Amino acid sequence: MKKFDKDRLLIAAAGPVLALVSAFVLTMIVLAASGVDPIDPLRIMIEQAGYEDIQVLIVNQAGIYFLAALAVAIGFRMNLFNIGVDGQYRLAAMVSAVVGASVSLPGPLHILLIVLVAMATGAFWSGIAGLLKARRGVSEVVSTIMLNAIATSLIAWLILPKNLGVQPPGSNDLTSGDIPESGWFPALTLPGGDIYGFTIVAFALGVVYWFVLNRTRFGFDLRASGASESAAQASGVEPKKMIMTAMLISGAVAGLTGMPLLLGESHTYNLSFPLGIGFTGITVALLGRNNPVGLVFAAFLLAFIKQTSAGLDTAGYAQEIGTIMQGLIVVAVVVSYELVRRYGIRRQQQKVGEELAAGHAITTEKEVAA
């Protein structure tokens, strides 16, 4: 039986806990320095979370954040930083919405087609960065940032009425056209509102992520390549192939990020489709330490901050308090994880020293006894 490692568990939990506590304290300091009551906004946010309609909004938002974080986490496991999730998700949502609005199929097939198009589009867009990384050694950080900008411009061009877009009569908005009802994903109706049906699919993908990563040869190869390319190559794994595969899978999951909203509420892609989801996914992935359970908690935390801070303006506080909290969480995560990592290294060295000293003492006792 595998021995329970209490120190390892404590070190793993210390990073997120220290980050959250630090972010909370820093937020209080910033608010107090600005002349704002540091406690009252938090009280209001907690009260907001008690309403059923806000709870539904939090769950729906958490599902979207979870998918974005899952896409980032897959890259992280391969030691790749896919910053392009935001561009991949928006381009995939736009293209899949156009396809979904232009065909008429039976319900399950219609939904499946939209989902597959979204995954293929996201994988294609991230695959460009993967190909540049594998073939030319171009940093995926640089290439995915540039691809985000290109995706924004490409979407703006594609959604023009002369191309693939539709302008509703009497409106300045541009859309991809409405998806027929056969392409709507069934929702879970609760007293507070409808929970997107695809949200359940999103969290189910977390189970698939855990199983593939920890219980399959592919997952082992992925983690081994991320830990050490040379060691993985010596064991028969092709690092370049794994880079390409990881980026394709990350992009495919990123393409699913827009599906809860597209299939569950908007049923079209328009200019008001949310921006910045991919960057929030990076925060969730960092806070959740790429663990599916950690990602769930982190996604709900960020969703709680976003949805409950929207009601602060009615009490005379700025909604940007929520944005400040999210930003401080990012800073706190980076700093606290580095501190915990250094402590873990020192603790490991100390334990090795103690074991060596204990072994030396036993050897000395045997020599004396002999």
Side-chain angles (χ1 to χ4, degrees), residues 71 74 119 123 126 212 218 222 244-255:
I74 292 170
M119 293 178 67
S126 65
V212 171
F218 171 77
L222 188 72
M244 194 67 197
T245 303
M247 288 301 293
L248 288 173
I249 296 176
S250 177
V253 176

Side-chain angles (χ1 to χ4, degrees), residues 1 75 81 87 301 312 321:
M1 177 179 281
F81 201 167
L301 173 64
L312 290 176
I321 290 176

Side-chain angles (χ1 to χ4, degrees), residues 51-63:
Y51 297 109
E52 291 180 338
D53 57 335
I54 300 297
Q55 292 170 1
V56 169
L57 291 175
I58 290 173
V59 173
N60 286 334
Q61 193 68 53

Side-chain angles (χ1 to χ4, degrees), residues 1-348:
M1 177 179 281
K2 188 176 180 180
K3 185 179 178 181
F4 177 72
D5 193 341
K6 183 176 68 174
D7 287 346
R8 184 178 180 182
L9 179 62
L10 290 175
I11 290 174
V17 172
L18 181 59
L20 292 178
V21 172
S22 301
F24 174 77
V25 172
L26 288 172
T27 301
M28 299 300 102
I29 293 174
V30 170
L31 292 178
S34 304
V36 177
D37 186 337
I39 303 298
D40 197 45
L42 183 61
R43 178 190 61 80
I44 294 172
M45 292 171 68
I46 294 175
E47 287 181 355
Q48 288 285 315
Y51 297 109
E52 291 180 338
D53 57 335
I54 300 297
Q55 292 170 1
V56 169
L57 291 175
I58 290 173
V59 173
N60 286 334
Q61 193 68 53
I64 295 173
Y65 285 165
F66 182 79
L67 283 171
L70 208 59
V72 176
I74 292 170
F76 278 160
R77 285 295 193 172
M78 182 60 199
N79 203 23
L80 297 171
F81 201 167
N82 183 8
I83 302 183
V85 169
D86 201 67
Q88 295 154 19
Y89 125 78
R90 289 186 291 113
L91 185 61
M94 193 272 171
V95 173
S96 61
V98 170
V99 173
S102 62
V103 300
S104 179
L105 293 170
L109 291 178
H110 201 166
I111 295 171
L112 181 61
L113 175 64
I114 295 171
V115 170
L116 291 178
V117 170
M119 293 178 67
T121 304
F124 169 76
W125 205 245
S126 65
I128 298 174
L131 188 64
L132 291 172
K133 174 76 172 180
R135 296 291 186 181
R136 292 290 181 264
V138 178
S139 171
E140 75 282 0
V141 175
V142 175
S143 59
T144 50
I145 289 176
M146 298 303 296
L147 285 168
N148 275 342
I150 296 172
T152 299
S153 300
L154 183 59
I155 291 170
W157 180 75
L158 289 174
I159 206 170
L160 292 175
K162 65 178 181 179
N163 295 321
L164 302 176
V166 175
Q167 184 172 8
S171 171
N172 292 326
D173 194 16
L174 297 177
T175 77
S176 60
D178 293 329
I179 297 175
E181 193 169 347
S182 59
W184 298 5
F185 203 100
L188 178 62
T189 302
L190 296 177
D194 291 340
I195 292 179
Y196 304 145
F198 207 86
T199 299
I200 300 173
V201 177
F203 292 122
L205 285 176
V207 179
V208 176
Y209 165 80
W210 174 86
F211 179 81
V212 171
L213 210 62
N214 297 282
R215 293 293 184 268
T216 66
R217 173 59 188 269
F218 171 77
F220 173 80
D221 290 346
L222 188 72
R223 289 183 285 114
S225 299
S228 173
E229 284 191 14
S230 57
Q233 191 169 12
S235 64
V237 179
E238 297 181 24
K240 292 183 178 180
K241 180 180 178 182
M242 293 306 298
I243 288 173
M244 194 67 197
T245 303
M247 288 301 293
L248 288 173
I249 296 176
S250 177
V253 176
L256 295 176
T257 302
M259 294 300 99
L261 181 59
L262 180 66
L263 300 180
E265 181 179 335
S266 67
H267 309 302
T268 187
Y269 184 93
N270 54 31
L271 299 179
S272 62
F273 222 75
L275 304 173
I277 299 294
F279 298 106
T280 305
I282 296 174
T283 304
V284 174
L286 288 172
L287 186 59
R289 304 201 72 167
N290 304 321
N291 181 285
V293 177
L295 295 183
V296 170
F297 282 107
F300 271 96
L301 173 64
L302 271 294
F304 162 81
I305 293 174
K306 176 177 175 58
Q307 296 299 336
T308 57
S309 62
L312 290 176
D313 56 347
T314 59
Y317 297 105
Q319 295 185 30
E320 285 71 22
I321 290 176
T323 305
I324 292 173
M325 293 179 68
Q326 292 187 24
L328 291 175
I329 287 175
V330 175
V331 176
V333 163
V334 174
V335 175
S336 63
Y337 280 13
E338 178 61 21
L339 293 175
V340 170
R341 185 188 70 84
R342 293 183 180 183
Y343 170 78
I345 293 175
R346 288 198 301 269
R347 178 58 181 161
Q348 187 176 18

Side-chain angles (χ1 to χ4, degrees), residues 357-370:
H360 178 71
I362 293 173
T363 303
T364 304
E365 290 178 0
K366 288 182 178 179
E367 291 175 351
V368 173

